[in-house]
Coordinates of all heavy atoms in Angstrom, one line a residue:
V500 N 90.9 90.9 99.3 CA 91.2 91.7 98.1 C 90.5 91.2 96.9 O 89.9 92.0 96.1 CB 92.8 91.6 97.9 CG1 93.1 92.3 96.5 CG2 93.5 92.3 99.0
Q501 N 90.5 89.9 96.6 CA 89.8 89.3 95.5 C 88.3 89.6 95.5 O 87.8 90.0 94.4 CB 90.1 87.8 95.4 CG 91.5 87.4 95.2 CD 91.8 85.9 95.5 OE1 90.8 85.2 95.7 NE2 93.0 85.6 95.5
A502 N 87.7 89.5 96.6 CA 86.3 89.8 96.7 C 86.0 91.2 96.4 O 85.0 91.5 95.7 CB 85.7 89.4 98.1
C503 N 86.7 92.2 97.0 CA 86.5 93.6 96.7 C 86.8 94.0 95.3 O 86.0 94.7 94.7 CB 87.3 94.4 97.7 SG 86.8 94.4 99.4
L504 N 87.8 93.5 94.7 CA 88.1 93.8 93.3 C 87.1 93.2 92.4 O 86.7 93.9 91.4 CB 89.5 93.2 92.9 CG 90.7 93.9 93.6 CD1 92.0 93.2 93.1 CD2 90.8 95.4 93.3
A505 N 86.6 92.0 92.7 CA 85.5 91.4 91.9 C 84.3 92.2 91.9 O 83.5 92.2 90.9 CB 85.3 90.0 92.3
A506 N 84.0 92.9 93.0 CA 82.8 93.8 93.2 C 83.1 95.2 92.6 O 82.2 96.1 92.8 CB 82.4 93.8 94.6
G507 N 84.3 95.4 92.1 CA 84.6 96.8 91.5 C 84.9 97.8 92.6 O 84.7 99.0 92.4
L508 N 85.3 97.4 93.8 CA 85.6 98.3 94.9 C 87.1 98.6 95.0 O 87.9 97.9 94.5 CB 85.1 97.6 96.2 CG 83.6 97.2 96.2 CD1 83.3 96.4 97.5 CD2 82.7 98.5 96.1
D509 N 87.3 99.7 95.7 CA 88.7 100.2 95.8 C 89.5 99.4 96.9 O 88.9 99.0 97.9 CB 88.7 101.6 96.3 CG 88.3 102.6 95.2 OD1 88.2 102.2 94.0 OD2 88.1 103.8 95.5
V510 N 90.7 99.1 96.6 CA 91.6 98.4 97.5 C 92.9 99.3 97.6 O 93.4 99.6 96.6 CB 92.0 97.0 97.1 CG1 93.0 96.4 98.0 CG2 90.7 96.1 97.0
E511 N 93.3 99.6 98.8 CA 94.5 100.4 99.0 C 95.4 99.6 99.9 O 95.0 98.7 100.7 CB 94.1 101.7 99.7 CG 93.1 102.6 99.0 CD 92.6 103.8 99.7 OE1 93.2 104.0 100.8 OE2 91.7 104.5 99.3
V512 N 96.7 100.0 99.9 CA 97.7 99.3 100.7 C 98.6 100.4 101.4 O 99.0 101.3 100.7 CB 98.6 98.4 99.8 CG1 99.8 97.9 100.6 CG2 97.8 97.2 99.2
V513 N 98.8 100.2 102.7 CA 99.7 101.0 103.4 C 100.9 100.1 103.6 O 100.9 99.2 104.5 CB 99.1 101.5 104.7 CG1 100.2 102.3 105.5 CG2 97.9 102.3 104.5
P514 N 102.0 100.3 102.9 CA 103.1 99.3 102.9 C 103.9 99.5 104.2 O 103.8 100.5 105.0 CB 104.0 99.7 101.7 CG 103.7 101.1 101.5 CD 102.2 101.3 101.9
G515 N 104.8 98.5 104.5 CA 105.5 98.6 105.8 C 106.5 97.4 105.9 O 107.0 96.9 104.9
P516 N 106.7 97.0 107.1 CA 107.7 95.9 107.4 C 107.4 94.6 106.7 O 106.3 94.3 106.5 CB 107.6 95.7 108.9 CG 107.1 97.0 109.4 CD 106.1 97.5 108.4
S517 N 108.5 94.0 106.3 CA 108.4 92.7 105.6 C 109.5 91.7 106.0 O 110.6 92.1 105.8 CB 108.4 92.9 104.0 OG 108.6 91.7 103.4
A518 N 109.1 90.6 106.5 CA 110.1 89.6 106.9 C 110.9 89.1 105.7 O 112.0 88.8 105.8 CB 109.5 88.5 107.7
V519 N 110.1 89.0 104.6 CA 110.7 88.4 103.4 C 111.9 89.3 102.9 O 113.0 88.9 102.7 CB 109.7 88.3 102.3 CG1 110.4 87.9 101.0 CG2 108.6 87.4 102.6
L520 N 111.6 90.6 102.8 CA 112.6 91.5 102.3 C 113.7 91.8 103.3 O 114.9 91.9 102.9 CB 112.0 92.8 101.8 CG 111.0 92.7 100.7 CD1 110.4 94.1 100.3 CD2 111.6 92.1 99.4
T521 N 113.4 91.8 104.6 CA 114.4 92.1 105.6 C 115.4 90.9 105.6 O 116.6 91.2 105.6 CB 113.7 92.2 107.0 OG1 112.8 93.3 106.9 CG2 114.7 92.5 108.0
A522 N 114.9 89.7 105.6 CA 115.8 88.6 105.6 C 116.6 88.5 104.3 O 117.8 88.2 104.3 CB 115.0 87.3 105.8
L523 N 116.0 88.8 103.2 CA 116.7 88.7 101.9 C 117.8 89.7 101.9 O 119.0 89.3 101.5 CB 115.7 89.0 100.8 CG 116.2 89.1 99.4 CD1 116.7 87.7 98.9 CD2 115.2 89.7 98.4
V524 N 117.6 90.9 102.3 CA 118.7 91.9 102.2 C 119.8 91.6 103.2 O 121.0 91.8 102.9 CB 118.1 93.3 102.5 CG1 119.2 94.3 102.7 CG2 117.2 93.7 101.4
L525 N 119.4 91.0 104.4 CA 120.4 90.7 105.4 C 121.2 89.4 105.0 O 122.3 89.2 105.6 CB 119.8 90.5 106.7 CG 119.3 91.7 107.5 CD1 118.5 91.3 108.7 CD2 120.5 92.5 108.0

C-alpha cells in the first residue's frame, strides 16, 4: 500500500471478515 500510494497509484479495498472485530463484538 505504501509503495503504491508513494507512486501516486490507486489502492482499493474489498472489506470482509475480521478476527479483531469478530472477537471484540463477541
Side-chain angles (χ1 to χ4, degrees):
V500 172
Q501 293 166 11
C503 286
L504 292 179
L508 302 173
D509 288 347
V510 176
E511 301 173 8
V512 172
V513 178
S517 165
V519 176
L520 297 181
T521 302
L523 177 67
V524 171
L525 284 172

